[in-house]
Short mmCIF file of all heavy atoms in Angstrom, two decimals:
data_model
loop_
_atom_site.label_atom_id
_atom_site.label_comp_id
_atom_site.label_asym_id
_atom_site.label_seq_id
_atom_site.Cartn_x
_atom_site.Cartn_y
_atom_site.Cartn_z
N ASP A 444 -13.40 -5.31 -2.05
CA ASP A 444 -12.13 -5.70 -2.46
C ASP A 444 -11.10 -5.14 -1.54
O ASP A 444 -10.07 -5.66 -1.30
CB ASP A 444 -11.90 -5.11 -3.94
CG ASP A 444 -12.82 -5.73 -5.03
OD1 ASP A 444 -13.16 -6.82 -4.88
OD2 ASP A 444 -13.04 -5.09 -5.96
N LEU A 445 -11.28 -3.78 -1.19
CA LEU A 445 -10.31 -3.17 -0.26
C LEU A 445 -10.35 -3.77 1.03
O LEU A 445 -9.25 -3.97 1.65
CB LEU A 445 -10.64 -1.73 -0.15
CG LEU A 445 -9.67 -0.82 0.69
CD1 LEU A 445 -8.26 -1.01 0.03
CD2 LEU A 445 -10.08 0.60 0.60
N PHE A 446 -11.49 -4.24 1.56
CA PHE A 446 -11.55 -4.86 2.85
C PHE A 446 -10.69 -6.12 2.84
O PHE A 446 -9.91 -6.45 3.77
CB PHE A 446 -13.02 -5.28 3.17
CG PHE A 446 -13.27 -6.06 4.37
CD1 PHE A 446 -13.46 -5.51 5.68
CD2 PHE A 446 -13.18 -7.49 4.30
CE1 PHE A 446 -13.63 -6.32 6.80
CE2 PHE A 446 -13.30 -8.28 5.43
CZ PHE A 446 -13.52 -7.70 6.67
N ASN A 447 -10.88 -6.88 1.74
CA ASN A 447 -10.15 -8.21 1.61
C ASN A 447 -8.63 -7.96 1.45
O ASN A 447 -7.83 -8.79 1.95
CB ASN A 447 -10.70 -8.97 0.43
CG ASN A 447 -12.02 -9.53 0.73
OD1 ASN A 447 -12.34 -9.88 1.86
ND2 ASN A 447 -12.92 -9.65 -0.29
N LYS A 448 -8.29 -6.99 0.68
CA LYS A 448 -6.85 -6.64 0.52
C LYS A 448 -6.18 -6.19 1.75
O LYS A 448 -5.11 -6.64 2.13
CB LYS A 448 -6.68 -5.50 -0.58
CG LYS A 448 -5.28 -5.06 -0.94
CD LYS A 448 -5.18 -3.93 -1.80
CE LYS A 448 -5.70 -4.23 -3.17
NZ LYS A 448 -5.43 -3.22 -4.18
N VAL A 449 -6.94 -5.33 2.56
CA VAL A 449 -6.37 -4.84 3.85
C VAL A 449 -6.26 -6.02 4.82
O VAL A 449 -5.25 -6.28 5.51
CB VAL A 449 -7.27 -3.78 4.43
CG1 VAL A 449 -6.86 -3.49 5.83
CG2 VAL A 449 -7.15 -2.53 3.66
N ARG A 450 -7.31 -6.82 4.89
CA ARG A 450 -7.31 -7.96 5.83
C ARG A 450 -6.14 -8.96 5.52
O ARG A 450 -5.46 -9.42 6.41
CB ARG A 450 -8.66 -8.69 5.79
CG ARG A 450 -8.64 -9.82 6.85
CD ARG A 450 -10.03 -10.37 6.97
NE ARG A 450 -9.97 -11.23 8.25
CZ ARG A 450 -11.03 -11.80 8.77
NH1 ARG A 450 -12.18 -11.48 8.34
NH2 ARG A 450 -10.90 -12.60 9.76
N ALA A 451 -5.86 -9.24 4.21
CA ALA A 451 -4.84 -10.14 3.82
C ALA A 451 -3.46 -9.53 4.20
O ALA A 451 -2.56 -10.27 4.63
CB ALA A 451 -4.95 -10.32 2.32
N GLU A 452 -3.38 -8.15 4.05
CA GLU A 452 -2.06 -7.58 4.44
C GLU A 452 -1.82 -7.69 5.91
O GLU A 452 -0.75 -8.07 6.35
CB GLU A 452 -2.03 -6.09 4.01
CG GLU A 452 -0.72 -5.42 4.29
CD GLU A 452 -0.67 -4.04 3.80
OE1 GLU A 452 -0.92 -3.80 2.56
OE2 GLU A 452 -0.34 -3.10 4.52
N ILE A 453 -2.80 -7.45 6.69
CA ILE A 453 -2.82 -7.53 8.21
C ILE A 453 -2.39 -8.94 8.58
O ILE A 453 -1.53 -9.14 9.49
CB ILE A 453 -4.04 -7.03 8.88
CG1 ILE A 453 -4.23 -5.50 8.70
CG2 ILE A 453 -4.00 -7.48 10.38
CD1 ILE A 453 -5.51 -4.97 9.09
N GLU A 454 -3.09 -9.90 8.01
CA GLU A 454 -2.79 -11.30 8.35
C GLU A 454 -1.37 -11.81 7.95
O GLU A 454 -0.75 -12.55 8.62
CB GLU A 454 -3.97 -12.23 7.73
CG GLU A 454 -5.25 -12.07 8.43
CD GLU A 454 -6.39 -12.93 7.73
OE1 GLU A 454 -6.10 -13.40 6.56
OE2 GLU A 454 -7.40 -13.01 8.28
N ARG A 455 -0.93 -11.21 6.81
CA ARG A 455 0.44 -11.49 6.37
C ARG A 455 1.42 -10.98 7.35
O ARG A 455 2.38 -11.60 7.61
CB ARG A 455 0.60 -10.88 5.04
CG ARG A 455 1.99 -11.35 4.33
CD ARG A 455 2.00 -10.90 2.86
NE ARG A 455 1.48 -9.61 2.49
CZ ARG A 455 0.28 -9.26 1.98
NH1 ARG A 455 -0.50 -10.32 1.53
NH2 ARG A 455 -0.02 -8.06 1.67
N ASP A 456 1.24 -9.68 7.80
CA ASP A 456 2.16 -9.14 8.76
C ASP A 456 2.01 -9.67 10.22
O ASP A 456 2.94 -9.56 10.97
CB ASP A 456 1.83 -7.58 8.85
CG ASP A 456 2.29 -6.94 7.47
OD1 ASP A 456 3.02 -7.50 6.67
OD2 ASP A 456 1.86 -5.73 7.28
N ARG A 457 0.89 -10.11 10.64
CA ARG A 457 0.59 -10.66 11.94
C ARG A 457 -0.24 -11.84 11.80
O ARG A 457 -1.49 -11.81 11.96
CB ARG A 457 -0.06 -9.48 12.82
CG ARG A 457 -0.20 -9.91 14.25
CD ARG A 457 -0.65 -8.80 15.13
NE ARG A 457 -0.93 -9.28 16.45
CZ ARG A 457 -0.18 -9.33 17.41
NH1 ARG A 457 1.12 -8.92 17.33
NH2 ARG A 457 -0.60 -9.76 18.53
N PRO A 458 0.43 -12.97 11.61
CA PRO A 458 -0.33 -14.35 11.46
C PRO A 458 -1.38 -14.66 12.55
O PRO A 458 -2.32 -15.52 12.36
CB PRO A 458 0.66 -15.35 11.37
CG PRO A 458 1.97 -14.60 10.79
CD PRO A 458 1.79 -13.19 11.50
#
Side-chain angles (χ1 to χ4, degrees):
D444 294 334
L445 185 56
F446 174 93
N447 289 328
K448 183 185 289 187
V449 166
R450 184 166 189 170
E452 181 175 306
I453 290 170
E454 290 177 348
R455 187 172 41 255
D456 291 344
R457 187 171 168 91

